[in-house]
Amino acid sequence: MTDVRSLFEKHMQNDDPTGWFEELYALADGNPDNVPWARLHANVNLVGWQEREQRNGAGKSALVVGCGLGDDAEFVSAMGYAVTAFDISETAIHWCKRRWTDTRVTYVQADLFELSFEGQFDFVYESYTVQALPPPLHKRALENVAATVGGELLFVCRGRDDDAPQRDSPPWALSREQLTTLERGGLQVASFEDFFAAGARRFRVLYTRL
């Protein structure tokens, strides 16, 4: 499996903090075992939330941020939403289209920092994308996520106390203070869950547009 830390550090030295995603997917050479976060099933924190909430997205639009190999996007589609899913990696998007040949999801290559989706979506799902970015990019990334939300945002990340030290490589846990950036982007907290799963502290937060 690709050494994520070495790959990330190489791109940071080249002042390219997001370029390592495309290289990682390209180096994987079509083998999901070479993508550290590829589970080939939807995120359990999304699945568990939907089992509890029983959302019906019929007639509504949804956006999946940083879709990777598409499992979460397909799950949100099965909830009834008309889904657009994007990833910065062109290779990942091609991979999605090969995996899901009969999909209803619209897969597109796009950069979170250059989106033109302002307020377009009834439901936005972001899981583990922001935490894979270097801390200096977190605020801007959160602002851009917030800007896409027309209705609700389900946000899942690793969590930490506000004063807890940060790691020196991905993933970087986010604090509740950092997440207030989403509120300053016009969202309000509908529910906030702070729990441990798979050996790590997690936040699962539902936001609604004011």
Side-chain angles (χ1 to χ4, degrees):
M1 183 178 291
T2 304
D3 184 338
V4 170
R5 180 167 182 160
S6 296
L7 192 62
F8 166 77
E9 289 177 349
K10 182 183 78 171
H11 282 269
M12 286 296 289
Q13 289 168 3
N14 294 329
D15 195 27
D16 181 21
T18 61
W20 65 280
F21 294 105
E22 169 58 22
E23 185 172 357
L24 185 145
Y25 282 107
L27 289 171
D29 195 27
N31 183 352
D33 290 340
N34 293 328
V35 180
W37 48 80
R39 298 292 180 266
L40 303 186
H41 58 74
N43 187 313
V44 294
N45 297 304
L46 170 62
V47 175
W49 182 84
Q50 172 60 5
E51 288 176 347
R52 184 184 70 199
E53 300 295 326
Q54 293 295 301
R55 290 300 181 91
N56 182 350
K60 297 180 180 180
S61 62
L63 178 70
V64 174
V65 177
C67 64
L69 300 186
D71 296 279
D72 290 346
E74 296 297 323
F75 186 86
V76 175
S77 177
M79 292 164 61
Y81 291 95
V83 177
T84 298
F86 77 90
D87 201 280
I88 194 171
S89 167
E90 186 174 1
T91 297
I93 294 301
H94 288 320
W95 201 332
C96 287
K97 292 177 179 179
R98 291 195 304 270
R99 285 190 72 200
W100 313 101
T101 54
D102 296 323
T103 186
R104 296 189 303 116
V105 176
T106 300
Y107 288 104
V108 295
Q109 188 278 329
D111 186 337
L112 176 59
F113 298 108
E114 299 177 4
L115 293 181
S116 57
F117 296 145
E118 186 165 354
Q120 291 185 20
F121 296 94
D122 299 304
F123 180 76
V124 176
Y125 175 66
E126 147 55 1
S127 176
Y128 303 164
T129 301
V130 175
Q131 70 179 38
L133 300 169
L137 297 181
H138 286 174
K139 181 175 183 293
R140 186 178 164 207
L142 291 167
E143 290 171 342
N144 286 14
V145 169
T148 67
V149 181
E152 296 180 306
L153 165 67
L154 182 63
F155 190 95
V156 181
C157 67
R158 291 197 180 202
R160 65 180 178 89
D161 291 336
D162 293 339
D163 58 355
Q166 273 284 23
R167 293 163 50 98
D168 59 1
S169 63
W172 288 279
L174 303 177
S175 69
R176 294 192 69 160
E177 173 59 31
Q178 285 180 285
L179 295 185
T180 60
T181 296
L182 294 166
E183 296 171 60
R184 290 191 291 274
L187 306 180
Q188 63 181 352
V189 176
S191 65
F192 196 110
E193 298 172 83
D194 182 346
F195 60 99
F196 280 85
R201 186 181 181 185
R202 316 278 174 173
F203 293 154
R204 180 170 57 192
V205 194
L206 181 67
Y207 295 90
T208 57
R209 171 65 65 186
L210 290 169

